[in-house]
Amino acid sequence: MSASEDNGKRFSHSSWSLLCCRSGISSTSAAEREKNSEELSRNSSRSSSNKKPEGWKAMPFILGNETFERLAAFGLFANFMVYLTREFHLDQVYASNILNIWSGITNFFPLIGAFISDAYVGRFRTIAFASFSSLLGMVMVTLTAWLPELHPPPCTPQQQALNQCVKASTPHQGALLTGLCLLSIGSAGIRPCSIPFGVDQFDPTTDEGKKGINSFFNWYYTTFTVVLLITQTVVVYIQDSVSWKIGFAIPTVCMFCSIIMFFVGTRIYVHVKPEGSIFTSIAQVLVAAYRKRKVELPSEKHVDGVFYDPPLTGTQVFSKLPLTNQFRCLNKAAVIMEGEQNPDGSRANKWKVVSIQQVEDVKCLARIFPIWAAGILGFTSMAQQGTFTVSQALKMDRHLGAKFQIPAGSLGVISFITVGVWVPFYDRIMVPTLRRITKHEGGITLLQRIGIGMVFSILSMVAAALVEKVRRDLANANPSPLGIAPMSVLWLVPQLVLMGLCEAFNVIGQIEFFNRQFPEHMRSIANALFFCSYAGANYVSSALVTTVHHVTRTHSHPDWLTNDINAGRLDYFYYLVAGIGVLNLVYFLIVAQRYHYKGSGDLQDTTQDVELASQGELDYYSAKYENSA
């Protein structure tokens, strides 16, 4: 995906998936979408040539490339926990760590891909290179299922239950990890560039171009939703019940077709030259502030002409932020010293003096960091949905009727359906009702929405622990050769529904919060930070799993996360994640109460309502369309 891609809808499973597509269905009026298209189009109209944008003629090639890349990635990940444990015979802890680390890398790499694209090679070349990397990754992973030399010998379910299977060797795992690394490189280039590259193909100065941009977003999220449904149902069923070879070959062939489609449209595309990255500006502020760390700041009464404050003409910035007193040490970076300004008013050295706008951009990043950090632990519970929830499902009765058996990897679609049902209900019914009560434009503040999502994540882990306790007791009281508990897999529905509500509140809330609080020209960082939250959650989950695996083992009892979950205590692990979630919620409430919104003057009024300061700012909805990038 834009999840990269969801362990991270997150690349964490179907859960990660919802991350981007759901942001497109939250409350946005037609007028707001029109503003959104205009603002995005201003960012995308910097063409390096006078070539007229072809608009919809280019869309089949761009959408095809992005859609099939997502199909490849999601089709691989949705059922990958089953593949690692059933076909590679890896322990569930080891398999879970592989998934978490890979998900973290896949969600972090788009940050690097966006920097390379903006600063050096441009969007077309980035997508082109990344597409070949994704194809090679899919081919490698498919070969691990196709060639006997690249996977361990098969074994029966009875042998696997008795831990008698030959585990994947180092060469086997090396081939698999090579494929995963290539896929991560592919997602790093495609995901941050696909939407901006698509917008580049429309002429924002015409009504037709503006309408085309809005329609492009609609088609983008429509194809994304279709991909999610296909991968969570059809592809997973083929992998689970027909053949892993075919199940992996289908998205591989699709990725090959997408590359052909993408290059067929080469002569149609409008190419935008790279203009530099916002990361360079951030580095300049930090370097200049460090160099001037011993400089005394002037009093507030004598600031005229002291700070470098050029006009915004010719920049990507559409509105200035006022100079604030929070993080005053950074203000030193904008102090003009002797010899740092040319006679025409320009800077002599960009690494010695920066503008007030650049300083305030970095301050926005610093203010948001504590909220962002809380989001990492808030997403940790979601990381379990694609790993241990699948392990639970494999040890439960998954039959619907006499013949059909639900694939364990398809259960995540329940969270997807929950969000798909809840968000329109929340938007059309609950928000108007809450708005009349609270007098707030969104019904509740965004930080309140995020907090509610964190509560649902805690409740989801508690529900998962309670169900697991019942499942484990039934499995041990009714022993069977495969260790299957006489309990329907539908008992997992409550925890998946609660996790879907967590995403509906927490994920969409964070998307909107980040994009409101960052200046419009920094929204790519906002979206990149959001993906990094998933990456951090995956790393935290991996560290937590490894720690629990080693610490909870005794001479008389296996560890909580032992390969045989009927002998382990997965319910204790869920309670541990819930407990961490409670502590994180307390931390979030503290930092949310102390948070100051951008543009709020001196930022010294700590009693200010957390949302009032943000009202009346530039329209922020356009950034929600960038969340998959």
Side-chain angles (χ1 to χ4, degrees), residues 303-516:
V303 296
D304 293 340
V306 175
F307 296 102
Y308 181 62
D309 190 23
L312 298 180
T313 305
T315 70
Q316 300 178 40
V317 184
F318 305 128
S319 63
K320 280 189 177 183
L321 293 175
L323 183 66
T324 63
N325 288 330
Q326 193 176 27
F327 308 116
R328 292 188 76 239
C329 60
L330 294 177
N331 292 355
K332 297 179 180 181
V335 174
I336 302 174
M337 306 296 289
E338 184 178 356
E340 291 182 348
Q341 194 169 18
N342 297 321
D344 61 357
S346 62
R347 291 175 290 177
N349 189 326
K350 295 181 179 180
W351 293 90
K352 290 185 177 181
V353 63
V354 299
S355 67
I356 290 177
Q357 180 69 36
Q358 287 178 279
V359 171
E360 291 303 316
D361 289 346
V362 176
K363 288 183 180 181
C364 283
L365 184 63
R367 282 194 293 269
I368 286 176
F369 184 81
I371 302 292
W372 172 79
I376 293 177
L377 290 180
F379 290 154
T380 301
S381 59
M382 297 172 63
Q384 315 313 317
Q385 189 173 330
T387 53
F388 293 116
T389 300
V390 175
S391 297
Q392 285 180 285
L394 290 173
K395 295 297 183 179
M396 301 174 76
D397 182 8
R398 293 181 284 122
H399 287 89
L400 282 182
K403 296 182 179 179
F404 181 74
Q405 184 170 252
I406 302 174
S410 293
L411 288 173
V413 78
I414 295 174
S415 293
F416 177 77
I417 294 173
T418 299
V419 177
V421 172
W422 173 257
V423 170
F425 172 79
Y426 176 81
D427 177 45
R428 299 303 177 185
I429 298 178
M430 289 199 65
V431 168
T433 302
L434 291 171
R435 186 182 293 132
R436 288 193 294 268
I437 298 173
T438 64
K439 308 301 181 182
H440 188 276
E441 59 179 350
I444 58 176
T445 68
L446 290 176
L447 290 177
Q448 289 171 344
R449 187 173 184 178
I450 294 171
I452 292 173
M454 291 182 177
V455 172
F456 276 120
S457 70
I458 296 170
L459 295 177
S460 176
M461 290 295 95
V462 172
L466 294 174
V467 171
E468 172 58 18
K469 176 65 166 57
V470 175
R471 189 211 62 78
R472 179 180 179 275
D473 291 345
L474 284 174
N476 291 332
N478 301 272
S480 65
L482 299 180
I484 305 296
M487 180 181 183
S488 173
V489 74
L490 296 181
W491 278 95
L492 298 179
V493 169
Q495 69 194 62
L496 294 171
V497 169
L498 288 170
M499 190 56 66
L501 292 174
C502 163
E503 295 181 47
F505 281 94
N506 193 6
V507 172
I508 298 178
Q510 286 199 41
I511 289 172
E512 296 188 3
F513 174 78
F514 288 151
N515 285 291
R516 278 193 178 191

Side-chain angles (χ1 to χ4, degrees), residues 11 70 75 134 139 148 183 210 212 215 245 260 296 326 336 345 354 419 471 484 575 599-600 604 610 616 619:
F11 226 56
R70 292 174 185 269
S134 289
V139 169
L183 280 170
K210 295 176 183 178
S215 297
K245 300 175 184 178
I260 295 178
E296 293 292 333
Q326 193 176 27
I336 302 174
V354 299
V419 177
R471 189 211 62 78
I484 305 296
Y575 281 129
S600 57
Q604 293 176 339
V610 293
D619 169 57

Side-chain angles (χ1 to χ4, degrees), residues 138-291:
M138 281 305 306
V139 169
M140 182 63 71
V141 173
T142 302
L143 289 177
T144 64
W146 203 282
L147 299 179
E149 297 83 1
L150 296 181
H151 62 257
C155 67
T156 64
Q158 290 78 10
Q159 290 176 311
Q160 191 165 6
L162 296 174
N163 200 25
Q164 297 176 345
C165 300
V166 178
K167 290 181 171 56
S169 64
T170 299
H172 296 156
Q173 296 181 42
L176 182 68
L177 294 177
T178 299
L180 297 182
C181 288
L182 290 170
L183 280 170
S184 294
I185 294 173
S187 67
I190 295 176
R191 293 172 190 172
C193 297
S194 59
I195 284 184
F197 188 66
V199 174
D200 288 341
Q201 310 312 312
F202 294 95
D203 184 356
T205 63
T206 65
D207 290 338
E208 182 180 357
K210 295 176 183 178
K211 293 177 182 179
I213 292 174
N214 278 329
S215 297
F216 166 70
F217 290 134
N218 292 334
W219 277 101
Y220 183 90
Y221 289 108
T222 298
T223 56
F224 183 45
T225 303
V226 171
V227 166
L228 294 175
L229 293 175
I230 292 175
T231 56
Q232 294 296 313
T233 55
V234 177
V235 175
V236 169
Y237 179 79
I238 292 174
Q239 294 172 347
D240 197 65
S241 304
V242 180
S243 169
W244 287 99
K245 300 175 184 178
I246 299 176
F248 286 161
I250 290 175
T252 301
V253 172
C254 289
M255 192 67 225
F256 177 74
C257 294
S258 77
I259 293 178
I260 295 178
M261 292 179 62
F262 184 72
F263 281 100
V264 166
T266 300
R267 294 186 177 181
I268 301 176
Y269 302 143
V270 169
H271 300 270
V272 176
K273 286 185 177 181
E275 296 185 347
S277 173
I278 189 66
F279 295 108
T280 303
S281 176
I282 294 174
Q284 289 171 351
V285 172
L286 298 178
V287 170
Y290 179 77
R291 285 178 170 178

